[in-house]
Amino acid sequence: MTVSKRIVLRFPRRLVERPIVYRLVKDYDLELNILKASITPEEEGLLVLELKGDQKEYDKGVDFLIKAGVKIQSLSQDVTRNEERCNHCGACITVCPTGAFRVDPKTREVLFDNEKCIACGLCIPACPPRAMEVHF
Amino acid sequence: MAKTIAEINEKIKEGKAVVFTAEEIIDVAREKGVKKAAQEVDVVTTGTFGIMCSSGAYFNIGHSTQRIKLGGGRAYLNDVPAYTGLAAVDLFLGANALPDDDPRNRIHPGEFIYGGGHVIEELVAGKDVRLAATAYGTDCYPRKRLETLINIKDINEAVLFNVRNAYQNYNVAVNLSNKTIYTYMGVLKPHLGNANYSSAGQLSPLFNDPYYRTIGIGTKIFLGGGIGFVAWQGTQHNPGVPRTEKGIPKEGAGTLAVIGDLKQMSPRWLVGSSVLGYGCSLTVGIGVPIPILDEEMLEYTAVTDADIYAPVIDYSDAFPNNKPGKLAEVTYAELKSGRIKVNGKAVPTASRSSYPRAVEIAAALKEWIQTSKFLLTESVQPLPGAESGVGVKPLNERPIEY
Ligand code: SF4
Ligand code: SF4
């Protein structure tokens, strides 16, 4: 049976420079589509992947990642903005590793693009009025 | 021809005052020229909405049936300690106060979810707040314990009193070190990963009256959604710093101490805030009207982001260790472009204070003035100016001999 899943991988600093993802293709015959890749302020590697392949191989691949020390999270978490609470200060903009926030050059309002969000959670404690909320 | 504040007030009362925000006036001055604009315009309104740590409020909660003297005892509002060094039922609550059991930075960076600023926001929002107090008991104030809900509607006084707000200019914070740091200027990524600034720039009150010609003690202002007053110069008021040709300070300079009745303010403009790894605070909305007395005042208010420079400071070393030295000087126009150049590197910028909300404050104040709801005041005493010699001294630590 083939599966296709979107997952978020977080690499600790020591793994950032190792070719781990490549092994998924080579050893487990998984097809992958990189949706996002970046290094967070904590210097953690962040990778959002769409992984496709045989269920058994998929499970083995994920198991390999976990054993290697990669933290895995499914993309089912949703981060939303409480519009009442957001005052468009901008403190979140440079905190977000995927550029989900940008300033409207005209109004200087901070626009939040949920599509770009990978639910890493970094903006949540960094927002002074605590307008960013995570839902499980 | 010069105008007086009294003349402007007459026009406000008649509903005829010509008012622009400090953003709008830039184009008005460009189109009409300074001379004509100064004749036609009566008032320019400013605004700023940012985290202002030296904020607080005092309360008189009223006397209980058996009297209690909180002075010298302990008092907590929603578990946040309030200052009890005043008489029987007066309390002062600072925006940075934290519950005794808050973990602070024990697990760094601390989250600082709830503190004094949040209590102030909840009170202003009309929510009940828990007061828990203990006292030592006296013959005239025998009671030793008190636990009750209080509400801003019922207590005698609730007064916002901020000892340092509305900074005239501020540092741009960066991090030269190799690890992320958590500062009052926000999360700063290593190796110049980002640059955070905190001023409304061209809309900010003291940039529009750089030598404090009209803003002084007693000036009536927009404060927290209601009306307040300038009570004094703010602490660390530092007017003598280097200025541009147009008089704009090139680093943190003047500050205001402000006061106002909390009961007529709104939680939209006083927001409890959490600064990751730093502490709790209060985000405050302030707007100051500037009377256009003459061409000079109009020229001041027509200041643009491109005219205002801010120093870029390293918050991993220079700031914490109080060392001099700025890495660069950038304009607010550059800061707002989203990127600045520091040490040859393009650094993404982010603001800590809200420009859209500053615009909203200036517009609200404009509307109050246009509809005769808000009259201007003469200041009763000017703030210490650039020539006053008033400045900021570092602490001179001296050993204590035993
Ligand atoms: S930090 Fe919070 S309040 Fe500020 S713009 Fe971002 S979401 Fe809005
Ligand atoms: S959780 Fe916040 S910081 Fe993380 S990707 Fe989403 S918006 Fe950006």
Side-chain angles (χ1 to χ4, degrees):
Chain A
M1 197 184 72
T2 34
V3 287
S4 166
K5 287 187 185 163
R6 292 172 139 210
I7 53 172
V8 182
L9 310 183
R10 291 154 166 259
F11 295 77
R13 197 197 274 225
R14 68 188 159 86
L15 292 181
V16 166
E17 279 164 18
R18 288 180 40 194
I20 285 183
V21 173
Y22 163 75
R23 299 269 305 273
L24 293 175
V25 182
K26 193 169 156 276
D27 299 352
Y28 304 98
D29 199 25
L30 298 174
E31 220 178 278
L32 60 87
N33 185 11
I34 298 180
L35 301 173
K36 239 147 250 158
S38 68
I39 308 249
T40 71
E42 270 74 34
E43 303 218 353
E44 222 188 32
L46 243 171
L47 198 58
V48 185
L49 292 180
E50 192 164 3
L51 264 190
K52 209 165 145 184
D54 179 68
Q55 173 82 60
K56 269 203 197 127
E57 291 301 309
Y58 176 90
D59 289 345
K60 278 197 233 161
V62 166
D63 210 43
F64 155 73
L65 291 174
I66 293 170
K67 285 200 178 115
V70 178
K71 275 186 258 161
I72 304 186
Q73 189 186 358
S74 81
L75 251 190
S76 60
Q77 274 185 17
D78 197 17
V79 169
T80 57
R81 185 165 75 177
N82 179 337
E83 298 298 333
E84 281 278 288
R85 198 98 191 129
C86 169
N87 62 47
H88 300 278
C89 63
C92 50
I93 294 171
T94 49
V95 169
C96 175
T98 67
F101 299 98
R102 77 187 167 84
V103 181
D104 180 323
K106 228 181 126 62
T107 62
R108 303 215 62 84
E109 284 189 351
V110 177
L111 310 174
F112 172 52
D113 183 354
N114 189 272
E115 294 286 295
K116 285 193 179 166
C117 171
I118 55 162
C120 73
L122 284 174
C123 58
I124 291 163
C127 167
R130 293 303 174 108
M132 299 305 296
E133 296 167 354
V134 65
H135 306 274
F136 294 96
Chain B
M1 199 195 65
K3 303 184 209 81
T4 65
I5 289 178
E7 284 162 1
I8 293 173
N9 275 339
E10 281 313 307
K11 286 179 82 174
I12 296 175
K13 281 185 212 155
E14 290 164 28
K16 287 186 187 152
V18 179
V19 191
F20 290 100
T21 68
E23 190 182 56
E24 295 162 343
I25 196 69
I26 295 168
D27 286 335
V28 173
R30 245 180 231 146
E31 279 157 29
K32 297 187 186 258
V34 169
K35 196 166 176 201
K36 193 142 179 277
Q39 279 164 0
E40 291 177 17
V41 178
D42 300 304
V43 187
V44 169
T45 58
T46 64
T48 184
F49 186 70
I51 296 175
M52 306 200 193
C53 283
S54 269
S55 300
Y58 64 81
F59 312 100
N60 180 286
I61 58 154
H63 291 278
S64 46
T65 329
Q66 189 190 34
R67 288 178 192 267
I68 186 167
K69 175 182 181 287
L70 302 181
R74 285 185 198 282
Y76 294 87
L77 293 165
N78 282 355
D79 298 326
V80 178
Y83 180 70
T84 53
L86 303 166
V89 291
D90 289 330
L91 294 174
F92 186 87
L93 178 66
N96 284 235
L98 292 171
D100 292 342
D101 60 359
D102 186 284
R104 285 144 168 103
N105 263 340
R106 223 165 293 145
I107 297 167
H108 189 259
E111 294 207 24
F112 301 101
I113 300 212
Y114 195 88
H118 298 87
V119 178
I120 293 173
E121 178 187 334
E122 293 210 70
L123 278 165
V124 176
K127 292 191 188 149
D128 284 340
V129 163
R130 273 178 293 115
L131 166 68
T134 52
Y136 51 81
T138 70
D139 289 340
C140 44
Y141 290 89
R143 193 156 169 189
K144 291 188 176 167
R145 261 176 200 287
L146 176 64
E147 271 187 49
T148 177
L149 290 174
I150 60 167
N151 192 291
I152 195 169
K153 291 196 308 285
D154 309 324
I155 59 181
N156 291 319
E157 283 89 15
V159 180
L160 188 74
F161 183 28
N162 304 346
V163 302
R164 182 174 66 258
N165 278 178
Y167 240 114
Q168 187 181 23
N169 214 347
Y170 213 80
N171 294 342
V172 179
V174 295
N175 173 10
L176 292 182
S177 78
N178 55 16
K179 64 176 209 311
T180 298
I181 58 172
Y182 300 86
T183 73
Y184 71 90
M185 289 297 284
V187 182
L188 298 173
K189 298 193 246 180
H191 308 299
L192 290 168
N194 60 331
N196 288 349
Y197 64 99
S198 188
S199 169
Q202 62 195 19
L203 258 183
S204 187
L206 292 174
F207 278 141
N208 285 278
D209 185 6
Y211 288 112
Y212 331 118
R213 254 191 79 194
T214 68
I215 303 175
I217 295 165
T219 299
K220 190 162 83 171
I221 61 173
F222 173 111
L223 178 60
I227 284 175
F229 294 88
V230 174
W232 201 253
Q233 68 264 32
T235 53
Q236 294 177 27
H237 181 70
N238 194 17
V241 302
R243 290 172 183 256
T244 65
E245 249 168 59
K246 290 184 180 170
I248 307 294
K250 297 209 274 184
E251 53 192 80
T255 66
L256 302 176
V258 298
I259 192 163
D261 182 0
L262 201 58
K263 293 189 181 195
Q264 38 102 54
M265 296 185 194
S266 126
R268 181 169 171 78
W269 302 109
L270 292 173
V271 182
S273 298
S274 305
V275 183
L276 185 60
Y278 179 73
C280 282
S281 192
L282 186 68
T283 301
V284 181
I286 293 183
V288 180
I290 316 269
I292 303 303
L293 302 174
D294 51 26
E295 286 173 30
E296 186 185 50
M297 286 316 298
L298 189 106
E299 261 181 299
Y300 286 145
T301 57
V303 67
T304 72
D305 286 330
D307 303 321
I308 312 173
Y309 290 83
V312 181
I313 303 289
D314 172 28
Y315 272 63
S316 72
D317 182 28
F319 183 86
N321 298 313
N322 218 341
K323 293 182 190 165
K326 51 186 162 193
L327 300 168
E329 224 170 45
V330 292
T331 67
Y332 281 91
E334 290 170 296
L335 286 165
K336 287 181 186 173
S337 77
R339 247 158 236 286
I340 55 168
K341 260 247 159 87
V342 184
N343 291 354
K345 191 179 169 189
V347 183
T349 58
S351 171
R352 308 267 312 148
S353 86
S354 169
Y355 193 80
R357 288 291 187 91
V359 170
E360 211 180 309
I361 290 171
L365 191 50
K366 172 181 164 179
E367 201 255 350
W368 290 356
I369 295 170
Q370 281 173 329
T371 54
S372 317
K373 282 187 224 145
F374 186 106
L375 293 178
L376 308 189
T377 51
E378 301 267 3
S379 82
V380 290
Q381 181 170 304
L383 301 177
E387 310 308 322
S388 64
V390 168
V392 177
K393 289 187 290 243
L395 174 67
N396 174 21
E397 281 182 67
R398 290 177 299 143
I400 301 169
E401 276 163 39
Y402 295 97

